[in-house]
Amino acid sequence: MTPPPTFAALVTDRTRRLGTRLCVGLDPRLSLYRDPAHLRGHTLDVLEATAPYAACVKPQLAFFEALGLPGFTLLEEVCAAARTLGLPVLLDGKRGDIGSTAEAYAQGWLAGGHAGDALTVNPFLGFGTLTPFVEAARANGGAVFVLVKTSNPDQADLQGGGLSERVAAEVARLGAEEEGEYASVGAVVGATHPGDLAAFRTAMPRALLLLPGLGAQGAAAADLTPAFHPGGTGALASASRAVQYAQGLSVVASRDAAQRLRNELNAALT
């Protein structure tokens, strides 16, 4: 029996078939809504409206966790709705821990009832801590995106001095163990570092690159071209606030923002 397509294959197919390499982030902030029901409806409406322009969707776990049990219920709804729409789900949780704790995180977020198809992971407790996540991703046709160089200004406190390059080398090593166009081990490289994108693309030739920071954090589509392979594959540009809250709580504005960012990325790559 042929296994189902992997996360990497699904997003690459959407890039080629639908002409999109946009990752739509969902950051449902309770303070912006009348009540949890309002938040739920708007989040699901934004997901449906932006799906035609997205290669994948990226729920930020922190905002769902902040809602308590109803947040986990909503997350399951978001994941189910995304899959109905044909959208792969990348959970942004930046998980990382040791031993059995890492195994539990991997089980919960890459194989459990509210699991995603992919998960962002933190390698800064040591490369051995990545093993449970990588194994769970491979076993379930998913993916992990390892933090290599994040989009926030404070990243330089710890990620300078060649540390990001060491993490990139480990991502490349793990990817080399697999077959296929793109490996299950990808990397987070901030879109706010356009001058570094070419070097990281070269260092991790088989990794999908997740590029956070498009829009609200100041990155522009035209800056991101070095992260892509010929044909415009190999990277996902992520925008969250710039889409979900493009103009207050207007779902039409969210849809238009996703379409515009999709088009800007396409124009930059032609």
Side-chain angles (χ1 to χ4, degrees):
M1 185 163 143
T2 303
T6 64
F7 174 88
L10 287 170
V11 296
T12 303
D13 174 68
R14 286 185 70 88
T15 292
R16 291 186 170 124
R17 182 167 48 86
L18 301 179
T20 181
R21 56 275 302 157
L22 176 67
C23 171
V24 171
L26 294 178
D27 296 3
R29 302 163 185 259
L30 183 56
S31 62
L32 300 179
Y33 300 92
R34 293 189 303 271
D35 51 40
H38 186 205
L39 177 150
R40 173 187 175 275
H42 179 259
T43 300
L44 291 170
D45 286 347
V46 168
L47 172 63
E48 183 174 5
T50 60
Y53 311 107
C56 68
V57 62
K58 183 175 71 66
Q60 168 52 258
L61 290 183
F63 293 99
F64 293 86
E65 292 170 348
L67 299 170
L69 183 57
F72 286 94
T73 301
L74 175 58
L75 179 63
E76 291 187 4
E77 287 189 85
V78 166
C79 291
R83 290 176 181 129
T84 297
L85 293 164
L87 271 179
V89 179
L90 196 175
L91 298 179
D92 192 356
K94 301 177 180 68
R95 294 302 194 259
D97 217 308
I98 61 174
S100 60
T101 309
E103 292 172 4
Y105 275 137
Q107 177 67 26
W109 295 118
L110 288 165
H114 44 259
D117 304 301
L119 175 70
T120 58
V121 295
N122 187 336
F124 293 105
L125 274 74
F127 292 152
T129 64
L130 296 177
T131 300
F133 297 101
V134 173
E135 289 178 348
R138 288 172 175 170
N140 293 283
V144 294
F145 286 82
V146 181
L147 303 183
V148 170
K149 191 173 183 68
T150 56
S151 58
N152 58 303
D154 292 340
Q155 58 79 30
D157 294 344
L158 295 176
Q159 295 170 29
L163 183 57
S164 291
E165 288 72 17
R166 287 176 58 193
V167 179
E170 178 65 8
V171 169
R173 186 191 72 78
L174 290 167
E177 299 174 353
E178 302 179 21
E179 299 179 353
E181 184 177 10
Y182 292 105
S184 65
V185 184
V188 178
V189 179
T192 51
H193 309 293
D196 297 326
L197 295 180
F200 284 120
R201 176 72 284 166
T202 299
M204 299 175 285
R206 298 191 59 247
L208 285 176
L209 303 184
L210 177 63
L211 312 171
L214 185 63
Q217 292 188 56
D223 299 329
L224 306 186
T225 56
F228 292 87
H229 283 135
T233 61
L236 299 163
S238 177
S240 300
R241 284 171 289 170
V243 173
Q244 187 169 5
Y245 304 114
Q247 187 177 321
L249 299 181
S250 168
V251 174
V252 171
S254 294
R255 180 202 64 198
D256 292 348
Q259 183 180 37
R260 175 180 54 78
L261 290 169
R262 188 275 312 263
N263 292 345
E264 288 175 358
L265 286 162
N266 290 349
L269 290 163
T270 57

